[in-house]
mmCIF file of all heavy atoms in Angstrom:
data_model
loop_
_atom_site.group_PDB
_atom_site.id
_atom_site.type_symbol
_atom_site.label_atom_id
_atom_site.label_comp_id
_atom_site.label_asym_id
_atom_site.label_seq_id
_atom_site.Cartn_x
_atom_site.Cartn_y
_atom_site.Cartn_z
ATOM 1 N N VAL A 181 -16.501 20.432 8.992
ATOM 2 C CA VAL A 181 -16.957 21.108 7.776
ATOM 3 C C VAL A 181 -15.811 21.941 7.200
ATOM 4 O O VAL A 181 -15.222 22.761 7.921
ATOM 5 C CB VAL A 181 -18.161 22.019 8.074
ATOM 6 C CG1 VAL A 181 -18.581 22.780 6.828
ATOM 7 C CG2 VAL A 181 -19.320 21.194 8.612
ATOM 8 N N PRO A 182 -15.463 21.753 5.935
ATOM 9 C CA PRO A 182 -14.397 22.572 5.334
ATOM 10 C C PRO A 182 -14.792 24.047 5.315
ATOM 11 O O PRO A 182 -15.911 24.401 4.949
ATOM 12 C CB PRO A 182 -14.291 22.023 3.910
ATOM 13 C CG PRO A 182 -14.906 20.661 3.963
ATOM 14 C CD PRO A 182 -15.988 20.753 4.993
ATOM 15 N N PHE A 183 -13.878 24.905 5.731
ATOM 16 C CA PHE A 183 -14.147 26.341 5.739
ATOM 17 C C PHE A 183 -12.845 27.092 5.522
ATOM 18 O O PHE A 183 -11.739 26.550 5.676
ATOM 19 C CB PHE A 183 -14.780 26.769 7.077
ATOM 20 C CG PHE A 183 -13.831 26.748 8.244
ATOM 21 C CD1 PHE A 183 -13.118 27.887 8.604
ATOM 22 C CD2 PHE A 183 -13.638 25.586 8.973
ATOM 23 C CE1 PHE A 183 -12.238 27.866 9.676
ATOM 24 C CE2 PHE A 183 -12.758 25.554 10.051
ATOM 25 C CZ PHE A 183 -12.057 26.691 10.403
ATOM 26 N N MET A 184 -12.997 28.364 5.165
ATOM 27 C CA MET A 184 -11.863 29.274 5.092
ATOM 28 C C MET A 184 -12.269 30.569 5.783
ATOM 29 O O MET A 184 -13.342 31.113 5.516
ATOM 30 C CB MET A 184 -11.453 29.559 3.647
ATOM 31 C CG MET A 184 -10.912 28.340 2.918
ATOM 32 S SD MET A 184 -10.338 28.727 1.215
ATOM 33 C CE MET A 184 -8.811 29.618 1.593
ATOM 34 N N LEU A 185 -11.434 31.020 6.704
ATOM 35 C CA LEU A 185 -11.685 32.262 7.435
ATOM 36 C C LEU A 185 -10.667 33.310 6.990
ATOM 37 O O LEU A 185 -9.466 33.035 6.945
ATOM 38 C CB LEU A 185 -11.592 32.025 8.939
ATOM 39 C CG LEU A 185 -11.887 33.219 9.850
ATOM 40 C CD1 LEU A 185 -12.512 32.747 11.161
ATOM 41 C CD2 LEU A 185 -10.643 34.042 10.156
ATOM 42 N N PHE A 186 -11.166 34.506 6.707
ATOM 43 C CA PHE A 186 -10.303 35.578 6.223
ATOM 44 C C PHE A 186 -10.298 36.739 7.212
ATOM 45 O O PHE A 186 -11.352 37.248 7.588
ATOM 46 C CB PHE A 186 -10.784 36.070 4.847
ATOM 47 C CG PHE A 186 -10.844 34.974 3.822
ATOM 48 C CD1 PHE A 186 -12.034 34.306 3.568
ATOM 49 C CD2 PHE A 186 -9.705 34.594 3.131
ATOM 50 C CE1 PHE A 186 -12.089 33.279 2.648
ATOM 51 C CE2 PHE A 186 -9.751 33.569 2.194
ATOM 52 C CZ PHE A 186 -10.947 32.912 1.955
ATOM 53 N N GLU A 187 -9.119 37.129 7.639
ATOM 54 C CA GLU A 187 -8.942 38.238 8.568
ATOM 55 C C GLU A 187 -7.946 39.227 7.958
ATOM 56 O O GLU A 187 -6.846 38.851 7.575
ATOM 57 C CB GLU A 187 -8.415 37.738 9.915
ATOM 58 C CG GLU A 187 -7.931 38.806 10.862
ATOM 59 C CD GLU A 187 -8.962 39.881 11.155
ATOM 60 O OE1 GLU A 187 -10.118 39.532 11.451
ATOM 61 O OE2 GLU A 187 -8.594 41.072 11.076
ATOM 62 N N ARG A 188 -8.349 40.495 7.858
ATOM 63 C CA ARG A 188 -7.484 41.469 7.201
ATOM 64 C C ARG A 188 -6.294 41.875 8.068
ATOM 65 O O ARG A 188 -5.294 42.360 7.558
ATOM 66 C CB ARG A 188 -8.283 42.708 6.814
ATOM 67 C CG ARG A 188 -8.819 43.508 7.979
ATOM 68 C CD ARG A 188 -9.467 44.772 7.490
ATOM 69 N NE ARG A 188 -9.931 45.611 8.591
ATOM 70 C CZ ARG A 188 -10.376 46.838 8.446
ATOM 71 N NH1 ARG A 188 -10.424 47.371 7.226
ATOM 72 N NH2 ARG A 188 -10.771 47.549 9.478
ATOM 73 N N ASP A 189 -6.398 41.684 9.383
ATOM 74 C CA ASP A 189 -5.303 42.036 10.274
ATOM 75 C C ASP A 189 -4.256 40.924 10.270
ATOM 76 O O ASP A 189 -4.509 39.813 9.802
ATOM 77 C CB ASP A 189 -5.842 42.251 11.687
ATOM 78 C CG ASP A 189 -4.994 43.219 12.495
ATOM 79 O OD1 ASP A 189 -3.864 43.511 12.060
ATOM 80 O OD2 ASP A 189 -5.453 43.678 13.549
ATOM 81 N N ALA A 190 -3.085 41.232 10.838
ATOM 82 C CA ALA A 190 -2.038 40.225 10.940
ATOM 83 C C ALA A 190 -2.273 39.282 12.110
ATOM 84 O O ALA A 190 -1.650 38.223 12.192
ATOM 85 C CB ALA A 190 -0.676 40.905 11.082
ATOM 86 N N THR A 191 -3.157 39.662 13.031
ATOM 87 C CA THR A 191 -3.457 38.836 14.189
ATOM 88 C C THR A 191 -4.958 38.602 14.282
ATOM 89 O O THR A 191 -5.760 39.374 13.752
ATOM 90 C CB THR A 191 -2.980 39.510 15.488
ATOM 91 O OG1 THR A 191 -3.600 40.802 15.600
ATOM 92 C CG2 THR A 191 -1.470 39.683 15.485
ATOM 93 N N LEU A 192 -5.326 37.534 14.962
ATOM 94 C CA LEU A 192 -6.735 37.207 15.166
ATOM 95 C C LEU A 192 -7.245 37.859 16.453
ATOM 96 O O LEU A 192 -6.476 38.259 17.315
ATOM 97 C CB LEU A 192 -6.917 35.690 15.252
ATOM 98 C CG LEU A 192 -6.542 34.869 14.020
ATOM 99 C CD1 LEU A 192 -6.685 33.379 14.332
ATOM 100 C CD2 LEU A 192 -7.407 35.242 12.833
ATOM 101 N N GLY A 193 -8.556 37.949 16.572
ATOM 102 C CA GLY A 193 -9.150 38.372 17.825
ATOM 103 C C GLY A 193 -9.913 39.669 17.787
ATOM 104 O O GLY A 193 -10.851 39.858 18.546
ATOM 105 N N GLY A 194 -9.512 40.608 16.908
ATOM 106 C CA GLY A 194 -10.201 41.886 16.873
ATOM 107 C C GLY A 194 -10.177 42.554 18.238
ATOM 108 O O GLY A 194 -9.147 42.652 18.896
ATOM 109 N N ARG A 195 -11.336 42.984 18.720
ATOM 110 C CA ARG A 195 -11.384 43.691 20.015
ATOM 111 C C ARG A 195 -11.070 42.769 21.187
ATOM 112 O O ARG A 195 -10.754 43.239 22.284
ATOM 113 C CB ARG A 195 -12.748 44.328 20.208
ATOM 114 C CG ARG A 195 -13.906 43.359 20.216
ATOM 115 C CD ARG A 195 -15.179 44.062 20.604
ATOM 116 N NE ARG A 195 -16.341 43.378 20.076
ATOM 117 C CZ ARG A 195 -17.545 43.495 20.586
ATOM 118 N NH1 ARG A 195 -17.735 44.258 21.630
ATOM 119 N NH2 ARG A 195 -18.576 42.872 20.051
ATOM 120 N N LEU A 196 -11.151 41.434 20.992
ATOM 121 C CA LEU A 196 -10.726 40.529 22.050
ATOM 122 C C LEU A 196 -9.256 40.730 22.365
ATOM 123 O O LEU A 196 -8.823 40.592 23.518
ATOM 124 C CB LEU A 196 -10.962 39.068 21.644
ATOM 125 C CG LEU A 196 -12.406 38.624 21.446
ATOM 126 C CD1 LEU A 196 -12.443 37.193 20.941
ATOM 127 C CD2 LEU A 196 -13.187 38.751 22.735
ATOM 128 N N ALA A 197 -8.482 41.059 21.327
ATOM 129 C CA ALA A 197 -7.043 41.216 21.496
ATOM 130 C C ALA A 197 -6.634 42.633 21.854
ATOM 131 O O ALA A 197 -5.650 42.838 22.564
ATOM 132 C CB ALA A 197 -6.324 40.786 20.209
ATOM 133 N N HIS A 198 -7.398 43.638 21.367
ATOM 134 C CA HIS A 198 -6.931 45.009 21.603
ATOM 135 C C HIS A 198 -8.035 45.987 21.990
ATOM 136 O O HIS A 198 -7.805 47.190 22.034
ATOM 137 C CB HIS A 198 -6.208 45.539 20.366
ATOM 138 C CG HIS A 198 -6.975 45.407 19.082
ATOM 139 N ND1 HIS A 198 -8.115 46.136 18.810
ATOM 140 C CD2 HIS A 198 -6.763 44.626 17.996
ATOM 141 C CE1 HIS A 198 -8.564 45.806 17.611
ATOM 142 N NE2 HIS A 198 -7.782 44.896 17.093
ATOM 143 N N GLY A 199 -9.236 45.501 22.290
ATOM 144 C CA GLY A 199 -10.296 46.389 22.734
ATOM 145 C C GLY A 199 -10.273 46.577 24.239
ATOM 146 O O GLY A 199 -9.436 46.012 24.949
ATOM 147 N N ALA A 200 -11.191 47.387 24.750
ATOM 148 C CA ALA A 200 -11.322 47.540 26.188
ATOM 149 C C ALA A 200 -11.714 46.200 26.796
ATOM 150 O O ALA A 200 -12.579 45.508 26.279
ATOM 151 C CB ALA A 200 -12.371 48.602 26.506
ATOM 152 N N PRO A 201 -11.071 45.780 27.883
ATOM 153 C CA PRO A 201 -11.362 44.465 28.475
ATOM 154 C C PRO A 201 -12.838 44.309 28.847
ATOM 155 O O PRO A 201 -13.472 45.248 29.326
ATOM 156 C CB PRO A 201 -10.475 44.446 29.732
ATOM 157 C CG PRO A 201 -9.380 45.422 29.439
ATOM 158 C CD PRO A 201 -10.005 46.500 28.600
ATOM 159 N N GLU A 202 -13.369 43.106 28.595
ATOM 160 C CA GLU A 202 -14.765 42.798 28.910
ATOM 161 C C GLU A 202 -14.847 41.566 29.792
ATOM 162 O O GLU A 202 -14.131 40.581 29.571
ATOM 163 C CB GLU A 202 -15.565 42.527 27.624
ATOM 164 C CG GLU A 202 -15.682 43.692 26.682
ATOM 165 C CD GLU A 202 -16.517 43.338 25.451
ATOM 166 O OE1 GLU A 202 -17.339 42.394 25.551
ATOM 167 O OE2 GLU A 202 -16.353 43.985 24.409
ATOM 168 N N ASP A 203 -15.707 41.584 30.779
ATOM 169 C CA ASP A 203 -15.930 40.410 31.622
ATOM 170 C C ASP A 203 -16.602 39.318 30.800
ATOM 171 O O ASP A 203 -17.552 39.565 30.061
ATOM 172 C CB ASP A 203 -16.822 40.762 32.814
ATOM 173 C CG ASP A 203 -16.147 41.711 33.792
ATOM 174 O OD1 ASP A 203 -14.897 41.709 33.839
ATOM 175 O OD2 ASP A 203 -16.861 42.451 34.495
ATOM 176 N N GLY A 204 -16.101 38.103 30.933
ATOM 177 C CA GLY A 204 -16.709 36.963 30.258
ATOM 178 C C GLY A 204 -16.385 36.846 28.789
ATOM 179 O O GLY A 204 -16.989 36.024 28.088
ATOM 180 N N ALA A 205 -15.442 37.645 28.281
ATOM 181 C CA ALA A 205 -15.094 37.579 26.858
ATOM 182 C C ALA A 205 -14.354 36.272 26.566
ATOM 183 O O ALA A 205 -13.556 35.807 27.388
ATOM 184 C CB ALA A 205 -14.229 38.768 26.473
ATOM 185 N N PRO A 206 -14.592 35.638 25.419
ATOM 186 C CA PRO A 206 -13.897 34.388 25.092
ATOM 187 C C PRO A 206 -12.415 34.622 24.834
ATOM 188 O O PRO A 206 -11.986 35.745 24.573
ATOM 189 C CB PRO A 206 -14.623 33.910 23.824
ATOM 190 C CG PRO A 206 -15.224 35.143 23.231
ATOM 191 C CD PRO A 206 -15.549 36.039 24.382
ATOM 192 N N PHE A 207 -11.641 33.547 24.886
ATOM 193 C CA PHE A 207 -10.198 33.656 24.637
ATOM 194 C C PHE A 207 -9.934 33.681 23.131
ATOM 195 O O PHE A 207 -10.797 33.324 22.317
ATOM 196 C CB PHE A 207 -9.444 32.503 25.297
ATOM 197 C CG PHE A 207 -9.624 31.177 24.597
ATOM 198 C CD1 PHE A 207 -8.707 30.732 23.650
ATOM 199 C CD2 PHE A 207 -10.722 30.363 24.874
ATOM 200 C CE1 PHE A 207 -8.871 29.523 23.009
ATOM 201 C CE2 PHE A 207 -10.891 29.145 24.239
ATOM 202 C CZ PHE A 207 -9.966 28.718 23.291
ATOM 203 N N VAL A 208 -8.751 34.105 22.768
ATOM 204 C CA VAL A 208 -8.360 34.181 21.360
ATOM 205 C C VAL A 208 -7.478 32.978 21.018
ATOM 206 O O VAL A 208 -6.366 32.859 21.541
ATOM 207 C CB VAL A 208 -7.599 35.484 21.058
ATOM 208 C CG1 VAL A 208 -7.228 35.550 19.579
ATOM 209 C CG2 VAL A 208 -8.423 36.701 21.468
ATOM 210 N N PRO A 209 -7.934 32.077 20.165
ATOM 211 C CA PRO A 209 -7.113 30.915 19.808
ATOM 212 C C PRO A 209 -6.039 31.290 18.792
ATOM 213 O O PRO A 209 -6.135 32.303 18.104
ATOM 214 C CB PRO A 209 -8.136 29.955 19.196
ATOM 215 C CG PRO A 209 -9.144 30.870 18.570
ATOM 216 C CD PRO A 209 -9.238 32.066 19.480
ATOM 217 N N GLU A 210 -5.019 30.473 18.717
ATOM 218 C CA GLU A 210 -4.014 30.616 17.671
ATOM 219 C C GLU A 210 -4.569 30.050 16.367
ATOM 220 O O GLU A 210 -5.461 29.201 16.362
ATOM 221 C CB GLU A 210 -2.732 29.870 18.055
ATOM 222 C CG GLU A 210 -2.041 30.386 19.299
ATOM 223 C CD GLU A 210 -1.428 31.760 19.068
ATOM 224 O OE1 GLU A 210 -1.148 32.099 17.913
ATOM 225 O OE2 GLU A 210 -1.234 32.476 20.072
ATOM 226 N N ALA A 211 -4.020 30.527 15.248
ATOM 227 C CA ALA A 211 -4.459 30.015 13.945
ATOM 228 C C ALA A 211 -4.199 28.522 13.822
ATOM 229 O O ALA A 211 -4.918 27.800 13.115
ATOM 230 C CB ALA A 211 -3.749 30.778 12.829
ATOM 231 N N THR A 212 -3.190 28.018 14.552
ATOM 232 C CA THR A 212 -2.856 26.590 14.490
ATOM 233 C C THR A 212 -3.905 25.719 15.161
ATOM 234 O O THR A 212 -3.855 24.494 15.046
ATOM 235 C CB THR A 212 -1.491 26.353 15.154
ATOM 236 O OG1 THR A 212 -1.488 26.928 16.478
ATOM 237 C CG2 THR A 212 -0.371 27.014 14.351
ATOM 238 N N ALA A 213 -4.856 26.334 15.873
ATOM 239 C CA ALA A 213 -5.920 25.553 16.506
ATOM 240 C C ALA A 213 -6.940 25.057 15.489
ATOM 241 O O ALA A 213 -7.787 24.222 15.823
ATOM 242 C CB ALA A 213 -6.623 26.396 17.573
ATOM 243 N N PHE A 214 -6.870 25.561 14.266
ATOM 244 C CA PHE A 214 -7.816 25.187 13.223
ATOM 245 C C PHE A 214 -7.094 24.384 12.144
ATOM 246 O O PHE A 214 -5.866 24.388 12.072
ATOM 247 C CB PHE A 214 -8.441 26.444 12.628
ATOM 248 C CG PHE A 214 -9.148 27.303 13.643
ATOM 249 C CD1 PHE A 214 -8.590 28.490 14.079
ATOM 250 C CD2 PHE A 214 -10.366 26.904 14.177
ATOM 251 C CE1 PHE A 214 -9.230 29.282 15.022
ATOM 252 C CE2 PHE A 214 -11.015 27.681 15.118
ATOM 253 C CZ PHE A 214 -10.450 28.875 15.552
ATOM 254 N N PRO A 215 -7.848 23.680 11.301
ATOM 255 C CA PRO A 215 -7.214 22.882 10.244
ATOM 256 C C PRO A 215 -6.252 23.715 9.400
ATOM 257 O O PRO A 215 -6.490 24.901 9.145
ATOM 258 C CB PRO A 215 -8.407 22.393 9.415
ATOM 259 C CG PRO A 215 -9.552 22.365 10.383
ATOM 260 C CD PRO A 215 -9.318 23.524 11.302
ATOM 261 N N GLN A 216 -5.180 23.100 8.983
ATOM 262 C CA GLN A 216 -4.142 23.786 8.222
ATOM 263 C C GLN A 216 -4.720 24.413 6.948
ATOM 264 O O GLN A 216 -5.465 23.771 6.207
ATOM 265 C CB GLN A 216 -3.019 22.831 7.851
ATOM 266 C CG GLN A 216 -1.850 23.504 7.157
ATOM 267 C CD GLN A 216 -0.705 22.535 6.890
ATOM 268 O OE1 GLN A 216 -0.817 21.340 7.170
ATOM 269 N NE2 GLN A 216 0.393 23.031 6.363
ATOM 270 N N GLY A 217 -4.405 25.689 6.727
ATOM 271 C CA GLY A 217 -4.859 26.389 5.531
ATOM 272 C C GLY A 217 -6.257 26.959 5.624
ATOM 273 O O GLY A 217 -6.722 27.585 4.665
ATOM 274 N N SER A 218 -6.931 26.761 6.750
ATOM 275 C CA SER A 218 -8.307 27.248 6.853
ATOM 276 C C SER A 218 -8.395 28.693 7.324
ATOM 277 O O SER A 218 -9.442 29.321 7.180
ATOM 278 C CB SER A 218 -9.119 26.362 7.806
ATOM 279 O OG SER A 218 -8.575 26.409 9.114
ATOM 280 N N VAL A 219 -7.318 29.244 7.885
ATOM 281 C CA VAL A 219 -7.316 30.618 8.393
ATOM 282 C C VAL A 219 -6.259 31.424 7.645
ATOM 283 O O VAL A 219 -5.073 31.078 7.669
ATOM 284 C CB VAL A 219 -7.039 30.658 9.905
ATOM 285 C CG1 VAL A 219 -6.931 32.099 10.392
ATOM 286 C CG2 VAL A 219 -8.135 29.924 10.662
ATOM 287 N N LEU A 220 -6.693 32.483 6.980
ATOM 288 C CA LEU A 220 -5.781 33.359 6.245
ATOM 289 C C LEU A 220 -5.816 34.747 6.866
ATOM 290 O O LEU A 220 -6.877 35.379 6.930
ATOM 291 C CB LEU A 220 -6.172 33.460 4.757
ATOM 292 C CG LEU A 220 -5.653 32.358 3.832
ATOM 293 C CD1 LEU A 220 -6.417 31.055 4.098
ATOM 294 C CD2 LEU A 220 -5.803 32.765 2.367
#
Side-chain angles (χ1 to χ4, degrees):
V181 177
F183 72 92
M184 294 183 73
L185 182 148
F186 303 96
E187 168 55 48
R188 66 174 183 171
D189 208 346
T191 57
L192 298 176
R195 60 172 155 157
L196 295 175
H198 52 69
E202 296 181 24
D203 293 334
F207 73 95
V208 181
E210 297 290 336
T212 53
F214 302 106
Q216 185 176 4
S218 62
V219 175
L220 276 73

